[in-house]
Amino acid sequence: GDHRDLHLCDRRQRQMCIRDSNNGDAVFATATHGAVWAVRLCDGTQRELAPGGSERVVRASERRAWLRAARRARLVDEWAAAVAALRRGLAAVLPLSLLSFLAPAELERQVCGERVVDLALLRSQTRYSRLAPDAPLVRWFWRALESFDTKQREAFLRFAWGRSRLPLDAASFSHRFVLTACRGDDLTLPTSHTCFFQLDLPPYSSYDVLRAKLLYAVCEGTAIDSDHSNVDVSRWHEDDDDDDDDQVKDVLGAL
């Protein structure tokens, strides 16, 4: 990290210590509000940058040395344990010796998967239960997913599997996606079982009904898993969306 990083995590201290130091220690101390050789860490504790630092006022000639010490304390030492844990986690996925050969985008791809939800890949890893692969409900389901944008497809994956990205290839799937029929009607939302990557679809009467209920479930669900029962949304109407949007705008406008 550099001084720009310190600016992001400790803006007040950095601003105090980059002031003009040409006017002497007294003016500098006043301008920096009596900054001392100590910094406040993220957990609220104070760390001294030198012996007795909490009682030692920073002099004008020491401001660059203070910045170097503060940068190390805030951007290196404070995060050493977290960075070590991150390295151990990465090592469980990729050999650390390979990291130097990967650009950041490729590392993200290898660890997290593709950002774009590959529906052809998902379809190849789908198993149908109590549904024929060519049933109208199945065709409507895939048509609905194809109509979703990237964010909506990610929301579907979170709803059905508790994650927002697919594995890179078929061999990397821990288990296949299960699409199954369940009881219900046009007022019933789909349900998911994230542990099994399973989606239960009620026997909707049309594509439009299926798409609307699926989109509502994946975007408005408050939990990633609803294993217990189907949800009756007889009191929900799409016409209410505009009223909800207006309420949200009012709240945000008051902040």
Side-chain angles (χ1 to χ4, degrees), residues 84-102:
L86 180 61
R87 284 176 60 86
R88 290 194 298 271
L90 286 174
V93 181
L94 291 171
L96 293 179
S97 59
L98 296 180
L99 294 184
S100 60
F101 297 100
L102 297 176

Side-chain angles (χ1 to χ4, degrees), residues 21-38:
S21 60
N22 295 328
N23 294 321
D25 291 338
V27 174
F28 180 78
T30 300
T32 58
H33 306 283
V36 296
W37 281 84

Side-chain angles (χ1 to χ4, degrees), residues 104-150:
E106 181 60 22
L107 176 61
E108 177 187 5
R109 178 176 176 271
Q110 292 291 335
V111 175
C112 304
E114 294 283 5
R115 285 182 174 273
V116 177
V117 178
D118 186 344
L119 292 183
L121 175 61
L122 177 61
R123 199 163 189 165
S124 72
Q125 296 301 304
T126 298
R127 179 171 62 86
Y128 301 99
S129 174
R130 292 180 288 192
L131 280 171
D134 59 349
L137 201 63
V138 173
R139 295 199 304 270
W140 295 340
F141 168 76
W142 290 112
R143 179 182 169 192
L145 283 189
E146 289 168 358
S147 74
F148 288 0
D149 61 26
T150 299

Side-chain angles (χ1 to χ4, degrees), residues 19-191:
R19 292 179 181 272
D20 185 9
S21 60
N22 295 328
N23 294 321
D25 291 338
V27 174
F28 180 78
T30 300
T32 58
H33 306 283
V36 296
W37 281 84
V39 292
R40 188 74 60 183
L41 304 182
C42 290
D43 62 2
T45 61
Q46 187 181 66
R47 174 174 294 180
E48 292 187 336
L49 303 178
S54 59
E55 303 295 332
R56 176 183 162 190
V57 175
V58 180
R59 304 180 63 179
S61 59
E62 298 173 326
R63 61 178 184 142
R64 294 191 180 279
W66 185 96
L67 274 174
R68 289 192 293 270
R71 179 176 61 184
R72 179 170 184 80
R74 293 304 315 275
L75 303 180
V76 179
D77 296 343
E78 182 175 4
W79 303 104
V83 171
L86 180 61
R87 284 176 60 86
R88 290 194 298 271
L90 286 174
V93 181
L94 291 171
L96 293 179
S97 59
L98 296 180
L99 294 184
S100 60
F101 297 100
L102 297 176
E106 181 60 22
L107 176 61
E108 177 187 5
R109 178 176 176 271
Q110 292 291 335
V111 175
C112 304
E114 294 283 5
R115 285 182 174 273
V116 177
V117 178
D118 186 344
L119 292 183
L121 175 61
L122 177 61
R123 199 163 189 165
S124 72
Q125 296 301 304
T126 298
R127 179 171 62 86
Y128 301 99
S129 174
R130 292 180 288 192
L131 280 171
D134 59 349
L137 201 63
V138 173
R139 295 199 304 270
W140 295 340
F141 168 76
W142 290 112
R143 179 182 169 192
L145 283 189
E146 289 168 358
S147 74
F148 288 0
D149 61 26
T150 299
K151 291 296 184 183
Q152 291 166 342
R153 292 182 185 182
E154 290 177 355
F156 163 74
L157 284 181
R158 281 193 297 270
F159 179 76
W161 205 5
R163 55 187 289 174
S164 60
R165 300 191 190 186
L166 290 174
L168 289 179
D169 51 46
S172 301
F173 275 70
S174 57
H175 42 275
R176 302 177 73 187
F177 172 49
V178 179
L179 185 63
T180 184
C182 66
R183 294 180 180 179
D185 54 33
D186 282 355
L187 297 179
T188 308
L189 288 175
T191 56

Side-chain angles (χ1 to χ4, degrees), residues 187-209:
L187 297 179
T188 308
L189 288 175
T191 56
S192 66
H193 309 269
T194 55
C195 291
F196 308 106
F197 194 13
Q198 177 175 319
L199 183 73
D200 299 349
L201 277 180
Y204 295 123
S205 61
S206 69
Y207 162 76
D208 290 334
V209 173

